[in-house]
Amino acid sequence: MRAAYIHIPFCQHICHYCDFNKVFIDRQPVDLYLDYLEKEIVNTLQVAPFQQLDTIFVGGGTPTALNMAQTEKLLFVINKHLVPRTVNYELTFEANPGDLPKEKLQLLLDGGVNRLSFGVQSFNDELLQSIGRAHTKRDVLTALTEAQEVGFTNLNVDLIYSLPGQTLEDLQDTLETAFTLDVQHFSAYSLIIEPKTVFYNLMRRGKLPLPGEENEANMYEMVIDAMSRNGYSQYEISNFSKPGYESRHNLTYWNNEYYYGFGAGAHSYVDGKRIQNVGPLKKYFETIDAAGFPYLSAHDVTKEEQMEEEMFLGLRKEKGVHKTTFAAKYGISVHEVFEKQIREQVKHGLLEETEHTIRLTRAGKLLGNEVFQTFLME
């Protein structure tokens, strides 16, 4: 086991596109939640201990929505149970630019956090307001500057493109601002309209002016080219970094490796099982009280499913799927399992094969989901 994800389901504001498990933080039992989170961690480690965790990611929700005392309590739990302080590890907190006074930045750094991931999305204040974000461009610039002044040297900025009303010119402006920030990593995602979100309801009523598939593809190519020109290597479909600053946590997912998932609504992949936790807070507390674990479901992943996942997760990486690694993990060559799919996608120009790897082409990145679906067996 190399990785752990910790879910903090509290937000000061709810974004119009977000479908993650979250609640407004006002009048919520935050301290009680942290107590139960620790119970879940302790109980899990008793049945599935780790030798060394390389990466811990605290996401949400908005982890930085916690007050100073709650943040200190969470850091204490992490350091007590999950962080062996003698190893070189990656500890990331997702951060909202409006929630981070310098005192909290210092608390995070002193508590072992060595990577911050800022949910920026855009540098256009009108767009930010239209998607439900509470921060402004100025807030982002201030937060990043203060994080660097405190001593953070590993910063990620999340961007979203294909937003309602967004133009290519607007995205270009956002990218130009982004490259002035001296950060080490960018994640750039196309907007996905999920059920049970404000945007989904607007789309159903025909009131969501999306840019369209052609503009979305043009925006993605703009992102790829701009990142390359500015020294950020694309190591995964939506992720770009300076050398040595790839997200070790996300690589755990794309390498199809095991990871813990702690907290309400979190997902785990442990000892061949994919586990989903219950989401509502009251149910989370009650399930831990009754069973010791907050599981909603647990699925034994078959060998066939593991091989499918190896392909559609591994192909997200710029390096693609390594044929020797596949054979070592599953005792069979990738061509014996997926010969037809590989041949067809190479013919269509969406995959390319070298002596050692199979990976997406540039055209394949634009049609990634279609390529991935071909590796789902009957």
Side-chain angles (χ1 to χ4, degrees):
M1 194 74 65
R2 295 181 53 246
Y5 172 79
I6 298 172
H7 191 72
I8 304 300
F10 306 109
C11 291
Q12 298 283 6
H13 305 276
I14 304 298
C15 301
H16 298 342
Y17 53 84
C18 179
D19 73 328
F20 294 126
N21 187 47
K22 77 282 182 186
V23 293
F24 284 111
I25 195 168
D26 290 347
R27 296 185 296 278
Q28 294 294 335
V30 179
D31 289 286
L32 182 63
Y33 179 79
L34 296 176
D35 290 338
Y36 273 86
L37 178 67
E38 183 172 21
K39 290 181 184 180
E40 182 194 357
I41 291 172
V42 170
N43 292 348
T44 300
L45 296 183
Q46 287 178 350
V47 298
F50 65 87
Q51 289 187 335
Q52 176 176 313
L53 285 184
D54 296 327
T55 170
I56 301 166
F57 192 101
V58 184
T62 312
T64 53
L66 303 186
N67 64 32
M68 291 288 286
Q70 292 160 350
T71 302
E72 187 171 13
K73 182 175 181 178
L74 175 58
L75 290 168
F76 175 81
V77 170
I78 292 171
N79 282 290
K80 180 179 180 181
H81 301 293
L82 297 174
V83 176
R85 303 291 282 179
T86 57
V87 303
N88 176 29
Y89 63 91
E90 174 191 85
L91 174 50
T92 303
F93 259 61
E94 282 187 338
N96 184 5
D99 295 332
L100 275 177
K102 262 195 170 180
E103 314 88 77
K104 190 177 289 185
L105 284 165
Q106 189 66 58
L107 175 63
L108 292 171
L109 188 69
D110 292 344
V113 178
N114 53 25
R115 185 175 185 269
L116 294 176
S117 179
F118 285 92
V120 173
Q121 320 317 358
S122 172
F123 288 100
N124 179 319
D125 285 346
E126 290 182 6
L127 266 182
L128 288 170
Q129 186 175 16
S130 74
I131 65 177
R133 300 295 287 178
H135 68 264
T136 64
K137 174 181 176 179
R138 176 173 290 185
D139 292 332
V140 176
L141 300 181
T142 299
L144 287 168
T145 298
E146 291 185 346
Q148 291 163 336
E149 289 174 351
V150 165
F152 283 98
T153 59
N154 191 353
L155 301 174
N156 170 66
V157 164
D158 282 344
L159 301 174
I160 299 181
Y161 59 92
S162 195
L163 294 168
Q166 188 177 38
T167 64
L168 287 165
E169 291 75 19
D170 174 78
L171 178 59
Q172 180 65 45
D173 289 343
T174 279
L175 290 170
E176 288 177 0
T177 300
F179 295 132
T180 67
L181 302 177
D182 191 29
V183 301
Q184 291 71 39
H185 190 284
F186 286 102
S187 299
Y189 303 102
S190 172
L191 176 68
I192 298 175
I193 308 299
E194 301 284 5
K196 301 179 182 179
T197 63
V198 172
F199 276 173
Y200 181 78
N201 293 330
L202 289 172
M203 183 180 69
R204 291 186 64 188
R205 301 202 305 267
K207 296 183 177 181
L208 195 67
L210 297 172
E213 290 184 4
E214 182 177 351
N215 276 331
E216 180 181 337
N218 290 336
M219 288 179 178
Y220 182 46
E221 293 202 276
M222 175 184 286
V223 169
I224 292 174
D225 292 337
M227 292 289 174
S228 178
R229 288 195 304 271
N230 286 274
Y232 294 89
S233 298
Q234 184 178 24
Y235 68 98
E236 189 268 346
I237 284 180
S238 301
N239 286 267
F240 309 81
S241 76
K242 294 288 189 180
Y245 288 96
E246 297 84 359
S247 169
R248 281 190 266 167
H249 188 84
N250 286 342
L251 282 170
T252 302
Y253 301 148
W254 303 321
N255 288 332
N256 202 21
E257 298 171 342
Y258 291 157
Y259 58 89
Y260 300 111
F262 300 117
H267 293 252
S268 305
Y269 186 27
V270 178
D271 295 337
K273 292 181 183 290
R274 290 204 178 271
I275 301 166
Q276 180 180 353
N277 286 358
V278 296
L281 297 186
K282 186 170 183 285
K283 192 70 174 176
Y284 178 74
F285 302 151
E286 291 173 348
T287 310
I288 290 177
D289 282 339
F293 305 94
Y295 299 161
L296 175 66
S297 63
H299 171 68
D300 289 306
V301 184
T302 67
K303 182 178 178 180
E304 289 74 18
E305 289 169 332
Q306 291 175 41
M307 291 188 293
E308 291 173 358
E309 293 170 354
E310 192 77 18
M311 296 304 293
F312 63 70
L313 292 171
L315 286 173
R316 293 187 62 91
K317 297 179 295 181
E318 181 70 18
K319 294 179 179 178
V321 174
H322 198 283
K323 290 185 277 190
T324 301
T325 300
F326 187 99
K329 289 178 76 170
Y330 304 110
I332 189 171
S333 79
V334 65
H335 276 284
E336 287 182 78
V337 185
F338 297 113
E339 173 66 31
K340 179 181 177 182
Q341 295 94 322
I342 294 169
R343 186 172 64 249
E344 287 180 351
Q345 297 306 309
V346 169
K347 179 181 177 181
H348 295 321
L350 303 179
L351 286 182
E352 61 184 9
E353 183 172 3
T354 69
E355 180 182 356
H356 299 293
T357 63
I358 299 163
R359 65 178 195 165
L360 293 175
T361 62
R362 170 107 175 199
K365 292 175 185 176
L366 296 172
L367 298 170
N369 287 335
E370 295 180 23
V371 178
F372 303 152
Q373 287 175 8
T374 66
F375 290 95
L376 297 177
M377 296 180 285
E378 293 295 332

PDB file of all heavy atoms in Angstrom, residues 220 237 311-312 315-316 345 350-351 360-375:
ATOM      1  N   TYR A 220      -8.535  22.098 -25.698  1.00  0.00           N
ATOM      2  CA  TYR A 220      -7.614  21.094 -25.178  1.00  0.00           C
ATOM      3  C   TYR A 220      -6.267  21.163 -25.896  1.00  0.00           C
ATOM      4  O   TYR A 220      -5.203  21.131 -25.259  1.00  0.00           O
ATOM      5  CB  TYR A 220      -8.221  19.704 -25.317  1.00  0.00           C
ATOM      6  CG  TYR A 220      -7.365  18.579 -24.774  1.00  0.00           C
ATOM      7  CD1 TYR A 220      -6.743  18.671 -23.540  1.00  0.00           C
ATOM      8  CD2 TYR A 220      -7.170  17.407 -25.514  1.00  0.00           C
ATOM      9  CE1 TYR A 220      -5.961  17.635 -23.044  1.00  0.00           C
ATOM     10  CE2 TYR A 220      -6.395  16.373 -25.028  1.00  0.00           C
ATOM     11  CZ  TYR A 220      -5.790  16.495 -23.798  1.00  0.00           C
ATOM     12  OH  TYR A 220      -5.017  15.465 -23.314  1.00  0.00           O
ATOM     13  N   ILE A 237      -3.234  12.613 -19.398  1.00  0.00           N
ATOM     14  CA  ILE A 237      -4.133  13.341 -20.286  1.00  0.00           C
ATOM     15  C   ILE A 237      -4.409  14.766 -19.813  1.00  0.00           C
ATOM     16  O   ILE A 237      -4.406  15.711 -20.604  1.00  0.00           O
ATOM     17  CB  ILE A 237      -5.463  12.569 -20.458  1.00  0.00           C
ATOM     18  CG1 ILE A 237      -5.257  11.382 -21.400  1.00  0.00           C
ATOM     19  CG2 ILE A 237      -6.568  13.464 -20.980  1.00  0.00           C
ATOM     20  CD1 ILE A 237      -6.515  10.556 -21.630  1.00  0.00           C
ATOM     21  N   MET A 311      -5.654  -1.123 -18.613  1.00  0.00           N
ATOM     22  CA  MET A 311      -5.600  -0.467 -19.916  1.00  0.00           C
ATOM     23  C   MET A 311      -6.178   0.940 -19.868  1.00  0.00           C
ATOM     24  O   MET A 311      -5.523   1.906 -20.266  1.00  0.00           O
ATOM     25  CB  MET A 311      -6.342  -1.302 -20.958  1.00  0.00           C
ATOM     26  CG  MET A 311      -5.715  -2.664 -21.226  1.00  0.00           C
ATOM     27  SD  MET A 311      -3.964  -2.591 -21.720  1.00  0.00           S
ATOM     28  CE  MET A 311      -4.095  -1.780 -23.321  1.00  0.00           C
ATOM     29  N   PHE A 312      -7.426   1.088 -19.382  1.00  0.00           N
ATOM     30  CA  PHE A 312      -8.013   2.429 -19.513  1.00  0.00           C
ATOM     31  C   PHE A 312      -7.478   3.418 -18.483  1.00  0.00           C
ATOM     32  O   PHE A 312      -7.593   4.633 -18.669  1.00  0.00           O
ATOM     33  CB  PHE A 312      -9.543   2.411 -19.565  1.00  0.00           C
ATOM     34  CG  PHE A 312     -10.271   1.893 -18.362  1.00  0.00           C
ATOM     35  CD1 PHE A 312     -10.310   2.594 -17.173  1.00  0.00           C
ATOM     36  CD2 PHE A 312     -10.978   0.703 -18.427  1.00  0.00           C
ATOM     37  CE1 PHE A 312     -11.011   2.133 -16.080  1.00  0.00           C
ATOM     38  CE2 PHE A 312     -11.698   0.228 -17.342  1.00  0.00           C
ATOM     39  CZ  PHE A 312     -11.716   0.952 -16.157  1.00  0.00           C
ATOM     40  N   LEU A 315      -3.538   3.934 -20.041  1.00  0.00           N
ATOM     41  CA  LEU A 315      -3.477   4.704 -21.277  1.00  0.00           C
ATOM     42  C   LEU A 315      -3.672   6.201 -21.049  1.00  0.00           C
ATOM     43  O   LEU A 315      -3.410   7.004 -21.945  1.00  0.00           O
ATOM     44  CB  LEU A 315      -4.522   4.196 -22.276  1.00  0.00           C
ATOM     45  CG  LEU A 315      -4.194   2.856 -22.944  1.00  0.00           C
ATOM     46  CD1 LEU A 315      -5.361   2.368 -23.782  1.00  0.00           C
ATOM     47  CD2 LEU A 315      -2.931   2.971 -23.805  1.00  0.00           C
ATOM     48  N   ARG A 316      -4.123   6.589 -19.860  1.00  0.00           N
ATOM     49  CA  ARG A 316      -4.191   8.013 -19.542  1.00  0.00           C
ATOM     50  C   ARG A 316      -2.792   8.624 -19.442  1.00  0.00           C
ATOM     51  O   ARG A 316      -2.614   9.830 -19.653  1.00  0.00           O
ATOM     52  CB  ARG A 316      -4.942   8.237 -18.230  1.00  0.00           C
ATOM     53  CG  ARG A 316      -6.423   7.892 -18.277  1.00  0.00           C
ATOM     54  CD  ARG A 316      -7.122   8.311 -16.985  1.00  0.00           C
ATOM     55  NE  ARG A 316      -7.043   9.739 -16.805  1.00  0.00           N
ATOM     56  CZ  ARG A 316      -7.946  10.620 -17.245  1.00  0.00           C
ATOM     57  NH1 ARG A 316      -9.000  10.189 -17.908  1.00  0.00           N
ATOM     58  NH2 ARG A 316      -7.787  11.914 -17.024  1.00  0.00           N
ATOM     59  N   GLN A 345      -7.325   0.186 -32.931  1.00  0.00           N
ATOM     60  CA  GLN A 345      -7.049   1.561 -32.523  1.00  0.00           C
ATOM     61  C   GLN A 345      -5.756   2.089 -33.144  1.00  0.00           C
ATOM     62  O   GLN A 345      -5.650   3.286 -33.437  1.00  0.00           O
ATOM     63  CB  GLN A 345      -7.001   1.654 -30.997  1.00  0.00           C
ATOM     64  CG  GLN A 345      -8.315   1.304 -30.305  1.00  0.00           C
ATOM     65  CD  GLN A 345      -9.483   2.109 -30.824  1.00  0.00           C
ATOM     66  OE1 GLN A 345      -9.417   3.339 -30.898  1.00  0.00           O
ATOM     67  NE2 GLN A 345     -10.571   1.440 -31.194  1.00  0.00           N
ATOM     68  N   LEU A 350      -5.278   6.131 -33.286  1.00  0.00           N
ATOM     69  CA  LEU A 350      -5.552   6.587 -31.924  1.00  0.00           C
ATOM     70  C   LEU A 350      -4.590   5.991 -30.904  1.00  0.00           C
ATOM     71  O   LEU A 350      -4.441   6.525 -29.807  1.00  0.00           O
ATOM     72  CB  LEU A 350      -6.994   6.258 -31.545  1.00  0.00           C
ATOM     73  CG  LEU A 350      -8.058   6.838 -32.486  1.00  0.00           C
ATOM     74  CD1 LEU A 350      -9.458   6.441 -32.026  1.00  0.00           C
ATOM     75  CD2 LEU A 350      -7.941   8.356 -32.576  1.00  0.00           C
ATOM     76  N   LEU A 351      -3.949   4.870 -31.242  1.00  0.00           N
ATOM     77  CA  LEU A 351      -2.910   4.268 -30.419  1.00  0.00           C
ATOM     78  C   LEU A 351      -1.649   4.111 -31.242  1.00  0.00           C
ATOM     79  O   LEU A 351      -1.709   3.963 -32.476  1.00  0.00           O
ATOM     80  CB  LEU A 351      -3.338   2.888 -29.902  1.00  0.00           C
ATOM     81  CG  LEU A 351      -4.375   2.794 -28.786  1.00  0.00           C
ATOM     82  CD1 LEU A 351      -4.596   1.327 -28.425  1.00  0.00           C
ATOM     83  CD2 LEU A 351      -3.956   3.584 -27.562  1.00  0.00           C
ATOM     84  N   LEU A 360      -1.542   6.362 -26.187  1.00  0.00           N
ATOM     85  CA  LEU A 360      -2.379   7.186 -27.030  1.00  0.00           C
ATOM     86  C   LEU A 360      -1.535   8.071 -27.931  1.00  0.00           C
ATOM     87  O   LEU A 360      -0.476   8.564 -27.537  1.00  0.00           O
ATOM     88  CB  LEU A 360      -3.276   8.089 -26.181  1.00  0.00           C
ATOM     89  CG  LEU A 360      -4.374   7.441 -25.335  1.00  0.00           C
ATOM     90  CD1 LEU A 360      -5.053   8.507 -24.484  1.00  0.00           C
ATOM     91  CD2 LEU A 360      -5.392   6.734 -26.202  1.00  0.00           C
ATOM     92  N   THR A 361      -2.022   8.298 -29.154  1.00  0.00           N
ATOM     93  CA  THR A 361      -1.445   9.320 -30.025  1.00  0.00           C
ATOM     94  C   THR A 361      -2.057  10.666 -29.658  1.00  0.00           C
ATOM     95  O   THR A 361      -2.956  10.765 -28.805  1.00  0.00           O
ATOM     96  CB  THR A 361      -1.763   9.021 -31.488  1.00  0.00           C
ATOM     97  OG1 THR A 361      -3.193   9.045 -31.660  1.00  0.00           O
ATOM     98  CG2 THR A 361      -1.229   7.651 -31.895  1.00  0.00           C
ATOM     99  N   ARG A 362      -1.615  11.711 -30.319  1.00  0.00           N
ATOM    100  CA  ARG A 362      -2.236  13.029 -30.079  1.00  0.00           C
ATOM    101  C   ARG A 362      -3.726  12.961 -30.420  1.00  0.00           C
ATOM    102  O   ARG A 362      -4.557  13.471 -29.668  1.00  0.00           O
ATOM    103  CB  ARG A 362      -1.532  14.076 -30.938  1.00  0.00           C
ATOM    104  CG  ARG A 362      -2.226  15.440 -30.982  1.00  0.00           C
ATOM    105  CD  ARG A 362      -1.494  16.461 -30.194  1.00  0.00           C
ATOM    106  NE  ARG A 362      -2.076  17.791 -30.333  1.00  0.00           N
ATOM    107  CZ  ARG A 362      -1.445  18.903 -30.050  1.00  0.00           C
ATOM    108  NH1 ARG A 362      -0.202  18.870 -29.615  1.00  0.00           N
ATOM    109  NH2 ARG A 362      -2.033  20.075 -30.171  1.00  0.00           N
ATOM    110  N   ALA A 363      -4.067  12.340 -31.533  1.00  0.00           N
ATOM    111  CA  ALA A 363      -5.479  12.204 -31.901  1.00  0.00           C
ATOM    112  C   ALA A 363      -6.221  11.348 -30.879  1.00  0.00           C
ATOM    113  O   ALA A 363      -7.388  11.606 -30.563  1.00  0.00           O
ATOM    114  CB  ALA A 363      -5.607  11.600 -33.301  1.00  0.00           C
ATOM    115  N   GLY A 364      -5.539  10.343 -30.341  1.00  0.00           N
ATOM    116  CA  GLY A 364      -6.155   9.483 -29.342  1.00  0.00           C
ATOM    117  C   GLY A 364      -6.487  10.213 -28.057  1.00  0.00           C
ATOM    118  O   GLY A 364      -7.493   9.911 -27.395  1.00  0.00           O
ATOM    119  N   LYS A 365      -5.665  11.201 -27.686  1.00  0.00           N
ATOM    120  CA  LYS A 365      -5.950  11.985 -26.484  1.00  0.00           C
ATOM    121  C   LYS A 365      -7.255  12.763 -26.634  1.00  0.00           C
ATOM    122  O   LYS A 365      -7.993  12.949 -25.672  1.00  0.00           O
ATOM    123  CB  LYS A 365      -4.798  12.949 -26.199  1.00  0.00           C
ATOM    124  CG  LYS A 365      -3.504  12.271 -25.788  1.00  0.00           C
ATOM    125  CD  LYS A 365      -2.392  13.302 -25.643  1.00  0.00           C
ATOM    126  CE  LYS A 365      -1.050  12.620 -25.346  1.00  0.00           C
ATOM    127  NZ  LYS A 365       0.055  13.592 -25.300  1.00  0.00           N
ATOM    128  N   LEU A 366      -7.539  13.210 -27.846  1.00  0.00           N
ATOM    129  CA  LEU A 366      -8.771  13.962 -28.085  1.00  0.00           C
ATOM    130  C   LEU A 366      -9.995  13.069 -28.001  1.00  0.00           C
ATOM    131  O   LEU A 366     -11.106  13.551 -27.763  1.00  0.00           O
ATOM    132  CB  LEU A 366      -8.717  14.635 -29.457  1.00  0.00           C
ATOM    133  CG  LEU A 366      -7.633  15.706 -29.640  1.00  0.00           C
ATOM    134  CD1 LEU A 366      -7.569  16.154 -31.101  1.00  0.00           C
ATOM    135  CD2 LEU A 366      -7.896  16.898 -28.732  1.00  0.00           C
ATOM    136  N   LEU A 367      -9.805  11.770 -28.215  1.00  0.00           N
ATOM    137  CA  LEU A 367     -10.919  10.810 -28.202  1.00  0.00           C
ATOM    138  C   LEU A 367     -10.678   9.731 -27.151  1.00  0.00           C
ATOM    139  O   LEU A 367     -11.048   8.571 -27.332  1.00  0.00           O
ATOM    140  CB  LEU A 367     -11.081  10.182 -29.594  1.00  0.00           C
ATOM    141  CG  LEU A 367     -11.435  11.154 -30.730  1.00  0.00           C
ATOM    142  CD1 LEU A 367     -11.323  10.458 -32.079  1.00  0.00           C
ATOM    143  CD2 LEU A 367     -12.830  11.728 -30.538  1.00  0.00           C
ATOM    144  N   GLY A 368     -10.060  10.127 -26.035  1.00  0.00           N
ATOM    145  CA  GLY A 368      -9.630   9.164 -25.038  1.00  0.00           C
ATOM    146  C   GLY A 368     -10.736   8.255 -24.542  1.00  0.00           C
ATOM    147  O   GLY A 368     -10.562   7.034 -24.479  1.00  0.00           O
ATOM    148  N   ASN A 369     -11.889   8.820 -24.197  1.00  0.00           N
ATOM    149  CA  ASN A 369     -12.960   7.993 -23.641  1.00  0.00           C
ATOM    150  C   ASN A 369     -13.436   6.941 -24.634  1.00  0.00           C
ATOM    151  O   ASN A 369     -13.773   5.815 -24.246  1.00  0.00           O
ATOM    152  CB  ASN A 369     -14.138   8.875 -23.204  1.00  0.00           C
ATOM    153  CG  ASN A 369     -13.831   9.661 -21.941  1.00  0.00           C
ATOM    154  OD1 ASN A 369     -12.987   9.259 -21.149  1.00  0.00           O
ATOM    155  ND2 ASN A 369     -14.492  10.785 -21.762  1.00  0.00           N
ATOM    156  N   GLU A 370     -13.463   7.291 -25.906  1.00  0.00           N
ATOM    157  CA  GLU A 370     -13.861   6.308 -26.923  1.00  0.00           C
ATOM    158  C   GLU A 370     -12.837   5.170 -27.012  1.00  0.00           C
ATOM    159  O   GLU A 370     -13.207   3.997 -27.168  1.00  0.00           O
ATOM    160  CB  GLU A 370     -14.016   6.991 -28.281  1.00  0.00           C
ATOM    161  CG  GLU A 370     -15.151   8.007 -28.325  1.00  0.00           C
ATOM    162  CD  GLU A 370     -15.275   8.676 -29.678  1.00  0.00           C
ATOM    163  OE1 GLU A 370     -14.823   8.084 -30.681  1.00  0.00           O
ATOM    164  OE2 GLU A 370     -15.831   9.793 -29.736  1.00  0.00           O
ATOM    165  N   VAL A 371     -11.560   5.507 -26.913  1.00  0.00           N
ATOM    166  CA  VAL A 371     -10.520   4.476 -26.929  1.00  0.00           C
ATOM    167  C   VAL A 371     -10.644   3.586 -25.701  1.00  0.00           C
ATOM    168  O   VAL A 371     -10.597   2.347 -25.802  1.00  0.00           O
ATOM    169  CB  VAL A 371      -9.118   5.108 -26.994  1.00  0.00           C
ATOM    170  CG1 VAL A 371      -8.036   4.025 -26.949  1.00  0.00           C
ATOM    171  CG2 VAL A 371      -8.968   5.962 -28.251  1.00  0.00           C
ATOM    172  N   PHE A 372     -10.821   4.181 -24.533  1.00  0.00           N
ATOM    173  CA  PHE A 372     -10.893   3.403 -23.300  1.00  0.00           C
ATOM    174  C   PHE A 372     -12.047   2.397 -23.339  1.00  0.00           C
ATOM    175  O   PHE A 372     -11.910   1.257 -22.872  1.00  0.00           O
ATOM    176  CB  PHE A 372     -11.067   4.329 -22.088  1.00  0.00           C
ATOM    177  CG  PHE A 372      -9.983   5.357 -21.943  1.00  0.00           C
ATOM    178  CD1 PHE A 372     -10.245   6.573 -21.322  1.00  0.00           C
ATOM    179  CD2 PHE A 372      -8.702   5.135 -22.435  1.00  0.00           C
ATOM    180  CE1 PHE A 372      -9.261   7.524 -21.190  1.00  0.00           C
ATOM    181  CE2 PHE A 372      -7.710   6.094 -22.304  1.00  0.00           C
ATOM    182  CZ  PHE A 372      -7.989   7.296 -21.679  1.00  0.00           C
ATOM    183  N   GLN A 373     -13.170   2.812 -23.886  1.00  0.00           N
ATOM    184  CA  GLN A 373     -14.354   1.942 -23.904  1.00  0.00           C
ATOM    185  C   GLN A 373     -14.120   0.670 -24.702  1.00  0.00           C
ATOM    186  O   GLN A 373     -14.734  -0.363 -24.430  1.00  0.00           O
ATOM    187  CB  GLN A 373     -15.549   2.711 -24.465  1.00  0.00           C
ATOM    188  CG  GLN A 373     -16.093   3.751 -23.507  1.00  0.00           C
ATOM    189  CD  GLN A 373     -17.190   4.598 -24.120  1.00  0.00           C
ATOM    190  OE1 GLN A 373     -17.662   4.323 -25.225  1.00  0.00           O
ATOM    191  NE2 GLN A 373     -17.600   5.649 -23.416  1.00  0.00           N
ATOM    192  N   THR A 374     -13.221   0.713 -25.673  1.00  0.00           N
ATOM    193  CA  THR A 374     -12.978  -0.481 -26.485  1.00  0.00           C
ATOM    194  C   THR A 374     -12.309  -1.597 -25.674  1.00  0.00           C
ATOM    195  O   THR A 374     -12.308  -2.754 -26.092  1.00  0.00           O
ATOM    196  CB  THR A 374     -12.095  -0.149 -27.709  1.00  0.00           C
ATOM    197  OG1 THR A 374     -10.785   0.238 -27.288  1.00  0.00           O
ATOM    198  CG2 THR A 374     -12.714   0.957 -28.540  1.00  0.00           C
ATOM    199  N   PHE A 375     -11.724  -1.245 -24.517  1.00  0.00           N
ATOM    200  CA  PHE A 375     -11.036  -2.264 -23.710  1.00  0.00           C
ATOM    201  C   PHE A 375     -11.932  -2.848 -22.621  1.00  0.00           C
ATOM    202  O   PHE A 375     -11.459  -3.598 -21.780  1.00  0.00           O
ATOM    203  CB  PHE A 375      -9.777  -1.667 -23.094  1.00  0.00           C
ATOM    204  CG  PHE A 375      -8.706  -1.384 -24.119  1.00  0.00           C
ATOM    205  CD1 PHE A 375      -8.576  -0.137 -24.690  1.00  0.00           C
ATOM    206  CD2 PHE A 375      -7.851  -2.405 -24.532  1.00  0.00           C
ATOM    207  CE1 PHE A 375      -7.607   0.112 -25.655  1.00  0.00           C
ATOM    208  CE2 PHE A 375      -6.885  -2.167 -25.490  1.00  0.00           C
ATOM    209  CZ  PHE A 375      -6.772  -0.899 -26.069  1.00  0.00           C
TER     210      PHE A 375
END
